[in-house]
Amino acid sequence: METMLNGIRMHYEDEGAGPAVVLLHAFPLSGAMWRAQAAALRQRYRLIVPDLRGFGGSDAPPGSYTMDQQADDVVALLDQLGLEQVALCGLSMGGYIALALMRSHPARVRALALCDTRAGADSEEGRAGREANARLAEERGPAAIADKMIPSLVAPGAPQELRDELRALIVANSADGIAGALRGMAQRPDSGPGLAAITAPTLVLVGAEDTLTPPAEARALSAAIAGSRLVEIAGAGHLANMERPAEFTAVLRAFLDGVLA
Ligand code: MLT
């Protein structure tokens, strides 16, 4: 489906019936990365899966896409769909956006799942790396970003088939979208100080072999959010939901069933 919001055309999936669950994808992918989870969860929930600004079927305007802008896009979509409260699940960049939304609109979130993500801002070195990657995307296109990133998105033993799937998702995006998200992530503030104020039931999920947002980050996140549950997925790297879909989905579904039922 498609809608106009905040000056862009946003593509999203809206399937199933029941309490609403929103899945926010990682960089530099699209809502399609949630295929396995969406197929399972739409049996009992209304699944809303946007292609975030710059990705998939959504517009990729020039400029940087801050996490606050991306969170505003999600809130605008919820408003259009008449959804006052949802369960919100974000992986990596999707987690940064979920944390931005928790700062701006905490009452819209009934339950929160933070996957393979972190609360902290980028270091100076991290910001410089993002700018270098934004220029790489602009000069050599999304394929250069795929070559550079895929080895760190999955565990060393991940099958070639999954690597090929990731490559297809990444090269389907535009250089403007990739650069815009990189520059937006570089600007994100430290979400750490707000974590103690989160009262929504929260699940923190991480691939045991995630090297981009390692289990230590997940432990710190979980320790800072009162009552949150922490689960490590064995044998998974950063994109734990794609690498171990059955295990990831079972943990997410059990959490959602517990808080939304
Ligand atoms: C992601 O998976 O969304 C990115 O790796 C996040 C990041 O680069 O910080």
Side-chain angles (χ1 to χ4, degrees):
M1 294 184 173
E2 278 184 2
T3 188
M4 289 300 298
L5 53 82
N6 297 339
I8 63 159
R9 184 171 37 95
M10 179 173 265
H11 176 266
Y12 65 99
E13 302 294 337
D14 180 357
E15 294 176 318
V21 177
V22 178
L23 304 179
L24 303 180
H25 65 79
F27 170 88
L29 303 170
S30 67
M33 74 163 235
W34 292 113
R35 193 160 37 90
Q37 286 71 44
L41 295 173
R42 69 178 172 234
Q43 310 298 330
R44 58 183 93 170
Y45 297 110
R46 179 173 175 189
L47 254 282
I48 315 291
V49 187
D51 286 341
L52 296 163
R53 178 180 289 256
F55 296 97
S58 294
D59 282 348
S64 63
Y65 314 153
T66 64
M67 300 301 98
D68 289 330
Q69 171 71 72
Q70 300 257 32
D72 282 352
D73 291 346
V74 175
V75 170
L77 181 62
L78 301 187
D79 288 345
Q80 287 192 7
L81 298 176
L83 294 169
E84 190 48 42
Q85 266 210 327
V86 297
L88 186 62
C89 170
L91 192 142
S92 199
M93 180 181 77
Y96 306 157
I97 296 166
L99 287 169
L101 201 151
M102 292 308 291
R103 285 197 301 274
S104 61
H105 294 82
R108 305 296 292 265
V109 180
R110 188 169 164 195
L112 177 66
L114 298 169
C115 316
D116 298 280
T117 194
R118 61 160 54 88
D122 283 354
S123 62
E124 220 24 78
E125 189 190 353
R127 278 193 278 271
R130 299 235 193 248
E131 183 54 32
N133 280 345
R135 289 191 184 166
L136 180 69
E138 287 165 343
E139 284 158 20
R140 296 193 26 228
I145 295 294
D147 291 341
K148 191 165 177 190
M149 282 197 70
I150 289 173
S152 54
L153 290 177
V154 288
Q160 189 57 41
E161 193 180 56
L162 175 58
R163 293 166 193 269
D164 292 345
E165 186 183 352
L166 288 175
R167 191 178 176 82
L169 290 178
I170 295 171
V171 301
N173 293 318
S174 66
D176 274 349
I178 289 172
L182 282 164
R183 293 187 174 119
M185 285 192 285
Q187 291 171 45
R188 75 188 192 285
D190 182 4
S191 292
L195 297 179
I198 294 177
T199 54
T202 300
L203 170 69
V204 179
L205 232 156
V206 67
E209 297 181 47
D210 185 345
T211 53
L212 287 180
T213 47
E217 293 280 1
R219 285 195 281 274
L221 251 184
S222 180
I225 303 176
S228 64
R229 173 144 187 260
L230 172 66
V231 178
E232 267 187 42
I233 307 276
H238 185 59
L239 297 175
N241 74 306
M242 295 183 79
E243 215 167 344
R244 288 285 179 273
E247 295 87 336
F248 185 103
T249 305
V251 172
L252 181 58
R253 183 161 53 193
F255 168 70
L256 294 172
D257 289 353
V259 292
L260 301 181

